[in-house]
Amino acid sequence: MVFRLGVSGLKSLFEPKAVAVIGASREEEKPGHVIFKILLENKRKSLLKAEVYPVNPFADEILGEKCYPSVKDIPGDVDLGVIVVPARIVPKVVEECGEKGVKAVIVISAGFSEIGNVKLEEELVEKAKKYGVRVLGPNCIGVLCPHTGMDTIFLPVKKVLKDSREVVSTPRPKPGHVVLLSQSGAFGTAAIDYMAGEGIGLNAFVSYGNKADIDEADLLEYFGEDPNTRVILMYVESLERGRKVIEKAREITLKKPVVALKAGRTSAGSRAAASHTAALTGVDEIYNAAFRRAGIIRAYDLEELFDMAKALSMQPPSRGGRVVIVTDGGGAGVMATDECEIKGLSVPELKGETRERLEELRREGRIPKISSVQNPVDLTGSVTAEMYLEVLDVLLDSEQVDIILVLALHQVPGIEDPVDLARRAGALVREKGYPKPVLAVDTGWSEAAILSREAFDEALIPSYPTPERAARAARALYEYGKYLAERGVLKSYLESWRPAI
């Protein structure tokens, strides 16, 4: 049933010159209205460079824009069609798109193989194949690309609460360097909201639903060559072209990291996945082995997926698994140590020149006399911002250290301005040329903690609210560095690595 045309036409999904919303509606609650309204507003704000046309044979105009009875009636070229019509007429609409010369279509409509309607999906594919039209979907929510303003995610940007009539926002993520590929639209919308809340920048989100045509292998190939993509995330329920996906991933992971969250790990989970995307999920152990072979890092929940994404998009992979923890709270240091060891990292006692330099700082009173300089380096509640920077400077130079976790808990009195500490730490890491990855922790949800973490993120030091989350993110940097080293490319990768702008 499936046809393949390489990645030709995929650019139209993210950077179209003209978009037709086929099934645009005057009814505000319908997806066809929401999609058209968002694209039109993005165009009016100059976020979207494409022309946007509504197509509906039963309307003369929508939101002040002339409406066309068919995509074929639109003057000029159209390279992308967004289809939001009943499933039974989708094949006819796809054929009209082909006759118009449309390069790609996003089929939002459901009602195909996911409910057993395989023949209708086959008909859709045959019509697209006849004209060489690329198909994303059906049964998907399409794409979101903040850099270009392309947005078919039919989630209103604002909602009005019934009781108070208060308008609340459901913002999109800011532009960034992370790509998220999701078989599930519902997971994708939740993930988009999560990214916006965590301040993680998005390059592109793609929901591909039933994968009648475009699948993970196509998207990996496309974003593998995209210079704006630093990390590729995948939410996977099934891999029909598993061998092809793994082959593509093996090529791409030599250039940029790929992280997968595989759902359907249990028999009940597999059954649930099959019920909404017609997914054949397969045996979890097979996926584990395939991911390892391809250099795909596996995450086990949504939080871990995005914690890894932050680390991999902001910091270089590590040369090894030796972690040094710097903290002003002994308990936090113990928690970080435990999680690092559990995740396969080591927290070795510092010795030699590094230990001597830290002991010299202690003797001279440049860090508290009661500090522990073994590892974790516990600077105690008497620490100041300057002391953190003195220790960070030593550890960045040390040959004994592969990864640094800075647990800069802002509650101690000596950290008068946690935002300033974060900025100065980022400046020091930049000055040193990013010799090894640095991650930060500031626990709490007070305004000071939030501002501290935001400042670390802005300084391109990924920050986390708990030591355990930072340790799990550090594991991704270690796994990716180990994979690159095993293939003999870590040195060249690090030489060409540059911080995200």
Side-chain angles (χ1 to χ4, degrees):
M1 181 178 78
V2 180
F3 71 99
R4 305 292 169 193
L5 295 169
V7 293
S8 62
L10 264 63
K11 187 175 182 180
S12 297
L13 297 172
F14 311 105
E15 301 178 56
K17 296 181 177 64
V19 184
V21 181
I22 306 161
S25 174
R26 289 169 293 190
E27 298 179 44
E28 293 184 1
E29 74 280 1
K30 289 195 171 181
H33 179 91
V34 177
I35 292 170
F36 178 66
K37 181 180 180 181
I38 290 172
L39 291 173
L40 185 62
E41 288 180 349
N42 284 354
K43 174 178 168 50
R44 289 172 176 172
K45 294 174 185 174
S46 298
L47 297 174
L48 179 67
K49 305 303 181 186
E51 297 297 324
V52 183
Y53 302 104
V55 175
N56 186 330
F58 306 108
D60 294 325
E61 62 88 23
I62 297 176
L63 295 174
E65 297 293 316
K66 180 180 178 180
C67 202
Y68 297 89
S70 165
V71 67
K72 295 195 294 184
D73 297 315
I74 296 172
D77 296 333
V78 175
D79 55 344
L80 176 63
V82 181
I83 301 175
V84 203
V85 300
R88 67 181 184 280
I89 62 173
V90 168
K92 178 178 181 295
V93 170
V94 170
E95 184 167 41
E96 290 178 350
C97 285
E99 291 170 349
K100 176 66 176 175
V102 172
K103 295 177 181 178
V105 294
I106 300 171
V107 182
I108 305 293
S109 312
F112 294 89
S113 62
E114 79 280 4
I115 61 166
N117 206 345
V118 176
K119 286 188 177 180
L120 188 62
E121 193 165 305
E122 289 176 342
E123 185 182 354
L124 181 165
V125 168
E126 286 303 315
K127 298 293 187 185
K129 182 178 180 181
K130 178 180 177 182
Y131 296 97
V133 178
R134 300 307 311 263
V135 178
L136 185 68
N139 182 33
C140 73
I141 58 173
V143 305
L144 170 61
C145 188
H147 292 280
T148 66
M150 189 59 210
D151 184 346
T152 68
I153 312 303
F154 48 92
L155 303 177
V157 177
K158 295 186 180 296
K159 294 193 175 186
V160 181
L161 303 184
K162 287 184 178 179
D163 291 342
S164 64
R165 309 306 299 170
E166 180 183 358
V167 178
V168 295
S169 63
T170 54
R172 290 353 188 206
K174 65 183 180 181
H177 303 280
V178 176
V179 164
L180 173 61
L181 312 178
S182 177
Q183 190 166 356
S184 164
F187 173 87
T189 57
I192 288 168
D193 203 301
Y194 187 95
M195 292 181 74
E198 286 280 323
I200 300 171
L202 179 71
N203 181 26
F205 161 72
V206 189
S207 158
Y208 45 87
N210 292 4
K211 300 187 283 189
D213 170 26
I214 297 169
D215 69 356
E216 299 92 347
D218 297 309
L219 294 165
L220 281 171
E221 183 175 356
Y222 181 84
F223 287 109
E225 298 300 324
D226 174 41
N228 199 46
T229 299
R230 298 293 292 261
V231 181
I232 301 173
L233 308 180
M234 301 169 63
Y235 170 80
V236 177
E237 291 177 357
S238 65
L239 292 176
E240 283 73 17
R241 285 205 299 163
R243 189 179 299 276
K244 186 66 174 178
V245 171
I246 296 305
E247 288 175 0
K248 282 295 169 191
R250 290 184 73 175
E251 298 172 9
I252 292 159
T253 52
L254 296 177
K255 299 179 289 185
K256 58 189 71 175
V258 177
V259 185
L261 174 57
K262 170 66 176 66
R265 292 159 55 194
T266 65
S267 58
S270 296
R271 185 176 67 251
S275 70
H276 76 100
T277 56
L280 300 173
T281 56
V283 180
D284 196 59
E285 290 79 5
I286 295 175
Y287 280 94
N288 259 341
F291 288 165
R292 281 196 299 270
R293 188 163 61 250
I296 297 173
I297 301 165
R298 186 163 186 179
Y300 289 91
D301 56 46
L302 183 145
E303 183 178 81
E304 187 175 48
L305 180 75
F306 288 111
D307 285 348
M308 288 178 170
K310 279 182 73 171
L312 290 163
S313 64
M314 294 180 181
Q315 291 285 308
S318 70
R319 292 179 171 85
R322 298 169 301 174
V323 179
V324 173
I325 298 161
V326 189
T327 182
D328 54 31
V334 173
M335 290 188 289
T337 300
D338 281 345
E339 192 65 25
C340 284
E341 293 280 347
I342 289 168
K343 293 299 182 183
L345 302 165
S346 65
V347 186
E349 182 179 349
L350 292 172
K351 298 178 180 178
E353 181 183 353
T354 303
R355 178 73 169 265
E356 290 171 7
R357 287 185 64 186
L358 292 175
E359 288 179 343
E360 182 180 355
L361 292 178
R362 187 169 58 183
R363 285 194 302 272
E364 295 176 356
R366 291 157 66 187
I367 61 175
K369 298 284 188 180
I370 57 173
S371 297
S372 169
V373 293
Q374 295 178 343
N375 190 18
V377 178
D378 184 359
L379 299 177
T380 78
S382 301
V383 73
T384 65
E386 199 63 45
M387 293 174 181
Y388 263 113
L389 296 169
E390 291 263 23
V391 172
L392 182 59
D393 184 61
V394 171
L395 298 179
L396 286 168
D397 290 340
S398 173
E399 293 298 320
Q400 294 185 44
V401 183
D402 298 313
I403 303 172
I404 304 169
L405 298 189
V406 178
L407 278 55
L409 309 183
H410 73 275
Q411 291 89 352
V412 300
I415 308 296
E416 296 179 352
D417 186 344
V419 170
D420 181 64
L421 170 58
R423 290 171 177 163
R424 293 173 68 191
L428 178 59
V429 174
R430 285 195 302 276
E431 179 187 322
K432 295 280 186 176
Y434 293 85
K436 59 201 63 170
V438 180
L439 301 89
V441 174
D442 194 353
T443 299
W445 291 101
S446 65
E447 184 179 6
I450 293 170
L451 290 174
S452 170
R453 291 196 295 269
E454 287 177 351
F456 273 115
D457 288 342
E458 289 170 3
L460 299 181
I461 296 178
S463 68
Y464 304 92
T466 67
E468 292 88 350
R469 287 176 61 178
R472 289 193 284 269
R475 191 258 296 183
L477 294 167
Y478 167 59
E479 282 194 16
Y480 189 48
K482 182 180 177 183
Y483 173 78
L484 294 174
E486 288 170 350
R487 275 140 188 83
V489 298
L490 178 60
K491 185 174 183 293
S492 60
Y493 185 97
L494 291 172
E495 287 173 349
S496 64
W497 187 89
R498 296 292 181 272
I501 298 173

